[in-house]
Amino acid sequence: MESNLEAILDARLRRRAEGGLKTAGLSTAEVQGRLQDFLTRRLSGEFSVGDVAQLSGGGANECFRFVLTRGPSSESMVLRIKSKGACCETDIEREFHMLKVAQDALPVPEAYWMTLDAADFGAPALISALAPGVAAPTDAVPLATGLGTVYGPRLAPVLAPQFVHHLARLHSHDWSQADLTGFDIPRPHTTDAIDWRLSFWDRAWEEDALEPHPTIVLTQQWLWENRPEVDHVSLLHGDYRNGNFLFDEENGQITAVIDWELSYLGDRHSDLAYAMLPAWGSRNESGTFLNAGLVDTETFIKDYERASGLPVDRQRLDYYLVYNLYWSVVSLVGTAPRNAQAGMTQLDVMYNYIYPGLGGFFSNELNRILAKG
């Protein structure tokens, strides 16, 4: 598997051996003090840190917004501290560099600083701009992790073309001269990218699962036996769906694509299939299923091909549907409850209840698809 990802799995085993969380997360006062110290070593001249508040949502990072004031100017920023017991292990260095690269292709929060030194914030962390906008209509029922968000007849037609266009721009972007520190680079016309991903998730399941599961055994076998070569190596978001972009509720413009911790380089069909997972979608007034609550499948594919200049292979789309369901089950049924049991997360209620429930839904989808052969 990729060297950085192997290292973070090794680090997780060491954390488990040390026992559960010894202290609660940082308070806002502690965050303010640590930000002051961190930025003092990086900024010249006078500045102040204020209005620190913890943000809700997200299981891979603890996030705090704050205002950095330098002279007459102020900017709202976000501190993202890597969770010690996330439902899937991710690497802050990869996230930071992917944000830097992706900003040339689509709207993302600008990344300013990164640290791998746990002495700064208790765990690796990055600081980025705070992007404006909302993740869901303010009059919508709050849902866990974007599940089934309904945008309605006014917003969906405006957001959908942007949602497709941004993904197409990402996948067709020339990253060959970019700084992708933390990433191993897969070779085109090989199975490097999917081999590395399967190896990562297979190890995560082996170390995390509380009990064996026949669906997982069958899925692993099928995925390894049928893995396709990648024709064009693309930048991948890894978690591209509703809930992971912000928009201006008044005019419907997408202001930022967020949550890049699962990004990697590989086959574009993986992002496409993930955005098409049934759990993220909903039906419109006429009963048509909308992927990510925004766009029907045929329109999604047609508009994506036109915007990216890249073809969509239905067979590879099917493969990556199974792959995405697989790693989702590993995270939700394997890692989440394991970390909750080990006392490594403050999200133990969500990790023991909501996540395994969603994982059961994904597992049932795997059974349904693989039963068809």
Side-chain angles (χ1 to χ4, degrees):
M1 70 184 72
E2 291 184 74
S3 53
N4 267 42
L5 297 186
E6 186 170 26
I8 64 173
L9 289 181
D10 292 342
R12 183 183 63 179
L13 287 182
R14 292 193 293 271
R15 291 198 303 274
R16 283 186 184 156
E18 295 167 356
L21 294 175
K22 302 297 190 296
T23 62
L26 297 176
S27 68
T28 54
E30 289 172 322
V31 167
Q32 182 164 348
R34 293 192 182 212
L35 280 168
Q36 193 77 32
D37 292 341
F38 180 81
L39 294 173
T40 295
R41 301 192 298 272
R42 287 160 175 81
L43 296 176
S44 59
E46 294 186 0
F47 70 90
S48 64
V49 174
D51 297 330
V52 179
Q54 188 162 13
L55 298 173
S56 61
N61 304 278
E62 289 187 75
C63 298
F64 296 83
R65 64 170 174 82
F66 66 96
V67 174
L68 175 64
T69 300
R70 304 175 70 184
S73 63
S74 296
E75 183 177 359
S76 295
M77 298 185 179
V78 175
L79 168 67
R80 290 166 62 83
I81 306 172
K82 189 58 59 183
S83 170
K84 296 180 180 179
C87 65
C88 49
E89 287 297 313
T90 58
D91 178 57
I92 209 79
E93 186 175 41
R94 290 162 65 96
E95 182 178 358
F96 180 83
H97 286 289
M98 184 62 80
L99 278 170
K100 289 287 192 181
V101 177
Q103 69 182 4
D104 293 330
L106 65 163
V108 301
E110 184 172 358
Y112 295 127
W113 298 282
M114 171 197 72
T115 176
L116 301 178
D117 188 350
D120 290 323
F121 298 103
L126 70 80
I127 294 173
S128 70
L130 176 64
V134 297
T138 52
D139 59 355
V141 177
L143 299 168
T145 192
L147 289 171
T149 301
V150 176
Y151 295 99
R154 181 181 73 85
L155 285 171
V158 179
L159 291 169
Q162 301 172 72
F163 180 79
V164 177
H165 177 75
H166 290 324
L167 188 61
R169 285 288 305 276
L170 177 68
H171 291 171
S172 58
H173 181 65
D174 181 4
W175 50 267
S176 59
Q177 303 303 311
D179 178 4
L180 285 167
T181 302
F183 293 87
D184 291 355
I185 308 300
R187 297 166 297 169
H189 307 294
T190 72
T191 60
D192 286 349
I194 189 61
D195 290 352
W196 299 341
R197 302 306 293 177
L198 292 178
S199 296
F200 177 84
W201 295 114
D202 287 356
R203 177 178 166 183
W205 177 259
E206 180 181 349
E207 294 175 351
D208 298 350
L210 296 172
E211 60 183 4
H213 200 304
T215 296
I216 291 295
V217 175
L218 177 61
T219 302
Q220 289 173 333
Q221 178 182 339
W222 187 90
L223 285 169
W224 278 103
E225 290 178 352
N226 293 279
R227 60 199 197 281
E229 294 183 358
V230 58
D231 59 336
H232 173 88
V233 178
S234 295
L235 302 175
L236 303 183
H237 182 276
D239 196 9
Y240 196 80
R241 57 174 174 82
N242 43 355
N244 280 345
F245 65 84
L246 304 177
F247 62 95
D248 183 311
E249 194 167 12
E250 183 175 341
N251 61 28
Q253 291 301 301
I254 291 179
T255 54
V257 177
I258 59 174
D259 289 354
W260 289 80
E261 61 265 19
L262 285 165
S263 59
Y264 68 105
L265 285 87
D267 193 321
R268 61 192 177 277
H269 294 83
S270 185
D271 269 353
L272 285 164
Y274 187 77
M276 295 177 183
L277 288 180
W280 312 137
S282 58
R283 296 190 178 276
N284 62 14
E285 296 78 6
S286 62
T288 301
F289 180 79
L290 302 179
N291 296 288
L294 292 171
V295 58
D296 68 90
T297 300
E298 294 307 314
T299 301
F300 192 174
I301 292 173
K302 179 186 67 176
D303 290 352
Y304 171 88
E305 289 181 323
R306 181 169 58 246
S308 68
L310 298 168
V312 174
D313 181 327
R314 301 299 179 111
Q315 188 171 354
R316 271 194 285 167
L317 202 59
D318 289 343
Y319 178 89
Y320 282 100
L321 172 62
V322 175
Y323 163 73
N324 282 301
L325 288 169
Y326 168 61
W327 78 256
S328 297
V329 172
V330 171
S331 299
L332 301 173
V333 176
T335 305
R338 171 67 74 180
N339 284 348
Q341 181 196 58
M344 294 174 63
T345 175
Q346 297 163 319
L347 302 174
D348 52 348
V349 173
M350 181 167 71
Y351 279 14
N352 275 324
Y353 178 65
I354 297 175
Y355 278 15
L358 178 58
F361 172 76
F362 285 152
S363 181
N364 187 60
E365 284 295 292
L366 279 174
N367 287 331
R368 181 183 61 80
I369 293 168
L370 294 176
K372 295 180 179 180

